[in-house]
Each structure stands twice: as C-alpha cells, then as structure tokens.
Amino acid sequence: MTLKERFPAFTGRNYRLFWTAQFISLTGVWMQSVAQGWLIYKLSMSPAALAAAAIALSAPVFVFSVFGGLAADFVDRKKLLVSTQIAASVPALILCYLTATDKASVEWIIALAAMTGVVNAFEYPARHAMTAEIVTRDKLTSAVTLQAVAFNATRMIGSSAAGFIIVVSSPAICFLINFVSYLTGALLYSMIEQEAASTGGDSVKNTRSIADGIKFILKRRDITGVLIIVAAVSLFGIPFIPMLPLFAEGVLHSGADGLGMLSGITGAGSMIAAITVACMPEISHKGRNMVFSAFFFAFSLFLFARSTNLYFSMAALAAAGWGIVCILALANCFIQHKCPSHMRGRVMAVFSFALVGLAPVGHAVMGYSAGKLGVADAVSMSSLICILIVIAGGVNLIKNPA
C-alpha cells in the first residue's frame, strides 16, 4: 500500500501544501514554547510566572475566538491564514532580539505572548474550517488525523531540538527559528490554489450570527457532550504542560535536558497515536472512543504527577500524549462530520474556545495550586477532577456512540 493510499488526504496538492505549512510552522511554535518556558523559569523561578505566560497566550482566545469564527465563515480563509502567520512572526522576532541582547523580562514575555494569543484567536478557527474546504468529505478523517500527526511530530521534534539548543546555545535561536517558520508557513499557504474564496458562503444569510452558532450546538447533545469533555481536558489536563520546567528541575532534578525529554516523549506518544488513527480508513463510535481516551489521558497524567523517577515519568507522559491526541483527533473529526459548511467556522470557534479559550482559568488555578500545594499535588488533584468530569459528561456519548 502506497503512502497516498494509506493517507488519502495527501492525494491533493492543496492539502499537501496545507499540511507542510502547518508542520514547519508548528515546529517553530513548539521550539519557542519550550524555550520560553525555560527562560521564564530561569528569570523568575516562579510557577505563577509560568502560569501567567500561559494565561496571556490563551486569554485572547477566550475573548476573541467567536470573532475569529465569524471571520473564518465570512472572510477568505486562505488570506486569513497567510495574514495570521505573518502577524504571529512579529512577537517571535521581538522576543529573539530581547533575549539576544539580555533585555528579556517576564513582563515582556507575557506581553508578547498576549499578542500571539490575539493572532491565534483568528488562526485556529480558520485553519480548522479550511481543512474541510480543501479535501472531500470521504477524506476528512484522514485530513484531520494527519494534522494531529503534524502537531505531535513537531512537538517531539521541536521540543527535543529546543532542549538541545538551550544547552549548547541560547533560547534566542529558538525564537529566531520560530520567526522563520511562520514566514515559511505564510508562503506555503499562499501557494494553495482556490477555485473561489474559501468561506462559508453568502447563501445562508440568516445564520450570520454568533447566537446561531451557539443555538446549533445546544440543539446537538452529542456535540455539546464532546465540547464538555474537551473543556474538561483544557481546564484540568493540559495546564500541566507549562509546569514541566518545575517537574524537570524541582521533582526529577534533570535540568534542561530532562525538560526536552519530557516534552519530546509526550509528543512521541501523541505521534504514535496520531499515525495509528490516520492509518484507519474510518473510525466507528468516535464519541465513545473519545470518552475512553479522555479517561486514559487523565489517569496517565495522575501517574506522572506521583512519579519521582524520570523514566517512569516519561512513560506516563508518553501514555498521556497518546490519550490526548486521540481525544482531540476524534473530537475534531466528530464535529467536522456533524457540522454543515456554513456553520463550521463558528462551531470550530467554540471548539477552539473550549480547547484554548478556557485554558487561562485552568492555568491560573494550576499556578495558584502549584504555589500552595506543590506542583505534584496540584497536577494530581487536577487530573482526578478531569476524570470525574469525563465520566459525568461522557455518559450520553457512551450510551449513544457515533
């Protein structure tokens, strides 16, 4: 079986450009994420500062994601993606300069993260919505899962590379690479050929409001259930990521090398899951499998939080990475299949809101809890809450799988 037969979405030139743009851009994003976390930790030695930077990155999505969804439905999505890539390159270049000249501060990093967050509020819905525009419906599952492959392969590559660069050189190099990766992504997106402007269209004039998108979701108990679980993972699961420098330095005593290994192994587990899902021509019972994946992720995260051994921690994070990519890939596929084209931008904006927009609350709680209880106990408590919500929110999806 050839690569294109195994991954049918790759048969289209537009999708290959789309996927490659994401792969290159996300590699830089992950490098900056790890380097920025390490820089903040070394400047402040504070879990609250790490949480504040994470909040600054995700809070704008909380505020602006619905407007990003409207833009994705009624603005040319290709032009929107090119514009957001160029805009996101600016904070990366500024941070590179500040770090290289020893002028970086926690306040500057937080401000630049907030700038990037505003861009992300418009980029996320446009990218998700455009996926369904450049592949046929029968290739949509392949396309979505291949994007999960890109996300997690770059997480492994970018995180490991960042750990190495921090040791041998400077975090500024990671920020410079991210700047270049954004511009490369913009160039590749601009090469996508379109028969017409890629938007939700003007034919459905009565559905051009945020309220209509919310009403559509609330009428669909299956989509609502999926979004509740995604929100639980965002609030109580994903906020462990900014705390990894604390685990690497304070719990596992492994330094920058250990941080790169922890971040990289999470991406490795995620990539294995993404490739496995992408190889499947179709996935039955997406809702039920997503609930089981969410439970597996939260339980693995609990095991990681209780570990004091680097290698056991890496194994637990690999399992957690496997679980989280299954959650997000299945949730994305589920919603994309259930959502009509003219509503997709707004629904995917709510998806982005649940995944990223709610993160500021989770990061704030995690930062406060880590400061009061210690990072291990904070992540343990958070993972147990996540398990309870997944069980409660997933009942309907288990009874009525799709």
Side-chain angles (χ1 to χ4, degrees):
M1 182 176 288
T2 66
L3 180 65
K4 290 183 179 180
E5 289 173 333
R6 177 68 71 180
F7 306 115
F10 274 147
T11 57
R13 174 183 177 275
N14 280 345
Y15 184 78
R16 291 196 299 272
L17 287 169
F18 184 72
W19 187 88
T20 304
Q22 289 183 65
F23 190 94
I24 293 172
S25 180
L26 285 169
T27 299
V29 168
W30 280 115
M31 291 184 71
Q32 173 151 331
S33 177
V34 172
Q36 179 175 288
W38 186 254
L39 181 60
I40 291 172
Y41 181 69
K42 285 301 181 183
L43 288 171
S44 68
M45 304 297 286
S46 166
L50 289 167
I55 291 169
L57 182 63
S58 51
V61 181
F62 181 91
V63 177
F64 297 112
S65 62
V66 289
F67 302 105
L70 284 174
D73 274 342
F74 305 116
V75 175
D76 185 334
R77 290 166 184 161
K78 171 183 166 180
K79 292 180 180 178
L80 188 56
L81 283 173
V82 172
S83 299
T84 54
Q85 291 289 294
I86 294 172
S89 72
V90 176
L93 183 61
I94 294 173
L95 186 55
C96 172
Y97 168 77
L98 292 173
T99 306
T101 56
D102 293 325
K103 296 178 181 178
S105 66
V106 172
E107 292 78 13
W108 263 113
I109 295 171
I110 291 173
L112 292 170
M115 290 174 59
T116 304
V118 173
V119 177
N120 289 344
F122 290 85
E123 190 269 346
Y124 291 155
R127 173 159 48 87
H128 287 304
M130 191 170 178
T131 304
E133 300 295 330
I134 59 176
V135 297
T136 56
R137 191 172 184 84
D138 61 308
K139 297 175 183 176
L140 184 57
T141 298
S142 173
V144 170
T145 51
L146 281 170
Q147 286 169 240
V149 171
F151 183 86
N152 293 288
T154 56
R155 182 177 188 172
M156 181 177 64
I157 295 167
S159 298
S160 300
F164 175 77
I165 290 171
I166 291 169
V167 171
V168 302
S169 183
S170 164
I173 301 299
C174 298
F175 307 142
L176 179 61
I177 292 172
N178 191 31
F179 167 75
V180 175
S181 75
Y182 274 130
L183 295 184
T184 305
L187 176 63
L188 290 171
Y189 281 134
S190 70
M191 295 168 63
I192 294 174
E193 298 175 354
Q194 294 174 286
E195 295 181 1
S198 178
T199 71
D202 293 330
S203 60
V204 191
K205 296 184 182 294
N206 292 327
T207 56
R208 292 192 174 191
S209 69
I210 297 169
D212 286 329
I214 301 297
K215 289 176 183 177
F216 172 80
I217 292 169
L218 293 178
K219 289 179 180 178
R220 297 294 304 265
R221 292 182 62 191
D222 51 355
I223 293 178
T224 302
V226 168
L227 290 173
I228 287 172
I229 292 176
V230 171
V233 170
S234 173
L235 284 167
F236 302 106
I238 293 176
F240 85 91
I241 295 174
M243 299 295 111
L244 285 180
L246 292 175
F247 278 99
E249 187 81 357
V251 178
L252 302 172
H253 310 292
S254 54
D257 285 337
L259 175 60
M261 291 169 69
L262 292 174
S263 299
I265 198 65
T266 309
S270 298
M271 187 173 69
I272 292 171
I275 292 174
T276 301
V277 174
C279 287
M280 298 178 181
E282 187 52 62
I283 306 169
S284 60
H285 305 316
K286 294 182 182 69
R288 175 184 292 174
N289 287 328
M290 193 200 70
V291 175
F292 292 151
S293 298
F295 180 87
F296 182 78
F297 159 73
F299 182 70
S300 299
L301 184 59
F302 176 80
L303 294 179
F304 164 73
R306 304 320 304 166
S307 171
T308 56
N309 178 274
L310 176 62
Y311 298 106
F312 185 86
S313 296
M314 290 173 64
L317 281 185
W322 187 94
I324 197 168
V325 79
C326 288
I327 299 165
L328 300 183
L330 290 170
N332 198 330
C333 288
F334 186 95
I335 294 172
Q336 294 268 21
H337 276 288
K338 300 287 185 180
C339 185
S341 177
H342 66 269
M343 196 70 70
R344 186 169 286 120
R346 278 159 288 178
V347 175
M348 295 313 297
V350 177
F351 176 82
S352 298
F353 174 83
L355 179 60
V356 182
L358 291 177
V361 180
H363 290 309
V365 172
M366 181 63 73
Y368 177 81
S369 300
K372 292 293 184 179
L373 305 176
V375 68
D377 287 342
V379 174
S380 298
M381 179 180 67
S382 187
S383 61
L384 290 174
I385 294 172
C386 186
I387 288 173
L388 293 175
I389 296 176
V390 166
I391 293 173
V395 172
N396 185 61
L397 289 167
I398 293 174
K399 290 180 177 178
N400 302 288

